Amino acid sequence: MSKLYLVPTPIGNLEDMSFRAIRILKEVDLILAEDTRNSGKLLKHFDISTPMLSHHMHNEHKTVEGLVNRIKSGERMALISDAGTPAISDPGFLLSRACVEAGIEIDCLPGATAFVPALVNSGLPNDKFVFEGFLPVKKGRQTRLNLLAEETRTMIFYESPHKLLKTLSHFAEYFGSERRVSVSREITKLHEETIRGTAAEVLQHYTQHPPKGEIVIIVAGN
C-alpha cells in the first residue's frame, strides 16, 4: 500500500531511535534524506540497506510532484531529516501538503525533536507555548521581535552557535534584560547543558563561554 512515512531520527544519542522507526526504514522502497551522507551513517549503524534519495530545501520544490506520482503509483517512502522530526524547521512540509492534496496516506511516527526536552527542563511554564523556530536573519527580524515582546505564552526558538549572542542581546533589548531565558544545547549528547537565568545573565554567560552545538532557546512570555 502506497504511503509516506515521516520518521524522526535521533538528535544526538542513537539510543533514541525507536524499534518502529528502524523497521519502517527497512521496509519502505525509498528513503528521502536531507543529507544522504549524514543519513548514510545512521542507516549503516542500524544495518538498513534501503536506497536513499536526496530531498532538501534546495531541491524540494522541483521534486515534490515527481515523488507524489511515484507514491501514487504504489511506492512506499520514508522521509527523514538530519536529526529530529521532519518538517520541524527541516524539509517535509511541502511533500506532506502535496500528499494530503493527492489523497495519499501519511504516517508520522512519534520520536525525537529538540524543543520538547528543552521546554520541559527549562523550568518555565509549558501549559501554553509558541514555537517560533529560527528568527528572520535580517528582513523582518525587528518587526517580529516587536510583536513577540507582547506574547504571553512561553516562546521556543532555534539558533546557531555563532548567532546566539546576537539573539540573546536582541531578547534583552526588545523583551527586557530581566526576562527569564533558558538555553539548552547539545541535547542528548555527551556535553549537554542547560543555562537558565535572565536574558542579561545568560548573555553574560555565553559571552564568557562561547557556545558550540545545536541550540534551543526558551523565553518566558510577557
Side-chain angles (χ1 to χ4, degrees):
M1 181 179 178
S2 60
K3 183 186 288 189
L4 173 67
Y5 294 92
L6 303 179
V7 180
T9 56
I11 57 176
N13 193 322
L14 291 179
E15 293 181 358
D16 292 333
M17 189 75 169
S18 72
F19 292 115
R20 184 182 172 204
I22 295 171
R23 177 179 61 81
I24 293 298
L25 293 180
K26 288 183 176 181
E27 292 179 350
V28 293
D29 301 300
L30 181 67
I31 296 172
L32 305 174
E34 184 179 5
D35 187 323
T36 55
R37 294 167 298 180
N38 288 339
S39 297
K41 299 173 185 176
L42 177 74
L43 300 190
K44 182 179 180 180
H45 181 84
F46 291 106
D47 195 26
I48 299 169
S49 58
T50 307
M52 281 190 295
L53 183 68
S54 180
H55 183 78
H56 49 74
M57 61 181 294
H58 301 296
N59 72 0
E60 58 180 340
H61 289 83
K62 300 177 182 179
T63 60
V64 163
E65 183 178 355
L67 293 173
V68 168
N69 289 334
R70 288 178 61 174
I71 299 172
K72 288 176 67 176
S73 70
E75 289 190 58
R76 293 192 303 166
M77 295 187 187
L79 174 64
I80 61 177
S81 61
D82 286 346
T85 301
I88 303 297
S89 291
D90 278 325
F93 165 68
L94 293 180
L95 182 58
S96 298
R97 180 178 64 181
C99 285
V100 169
E101 293 173 348
I104 294 171
E105 185 178 355
I106 299 175
D107 193 349
C108 182
L109 279 62
T113 187
F115 75 78
V116 173
L119 172 64
V120 172
N121 74 21
S122 69
L124 296 173
N126 55 35
D127 55 331
K128 294 181 177 65
F129 58 88
V130 55
F131 177 72
E132 286 291 321
F134 290 94
L135 283 167
V137 177
K138 293 182 180 178
K139 186 177 181 181
R141 187 179 181 93
Q142 182 177 352
T143 300
R144 192 71 200 150
L145 287 167
N146 278 322
L147 287 172
L148 292 174
E150 302 305 318
E151 174 61 63
T152 58
R153 295 168 292 182
T154 299
M155 295 171 280
I156 304 170
F157 302 88
Y158 284 168
E159 193 52 278
S160 60
H162 66 279
K163 294 179 181 176
L164 178 62
L165 293 182
K166 175 182 177 181
T167 296
L168 290 174
S169 66
H170 282 164
F171 288 165
E173 177 184 352
Y174 287 88
F175 303 162
S177 60
E178 295 301 308
R179 185 74 69 95
R180 302 299 297 180
V181 170
S182 174
V183 174
S184 293
R185 67 176 193 87
E186 295 290 82
I187 295 173
T188 78
K189 299 178 183 179
L190 180 63
H191 300 292
E192 176 177 359
E193 72 169 9
T194 295
I195 302 298
R196 308 172 185 88
T198 66
E201 290 169 345
V202 177
L203 175 59
Q204 182 180 13
H205 171 84
Y206 282 111
T207 299
Q208 297 171 347
H209 305 88
K212 296 180 181 178
E214 301 295 323
I215 291 170
V216 185
I217 312 172
I218 311 297
V219 181
N222 189 352

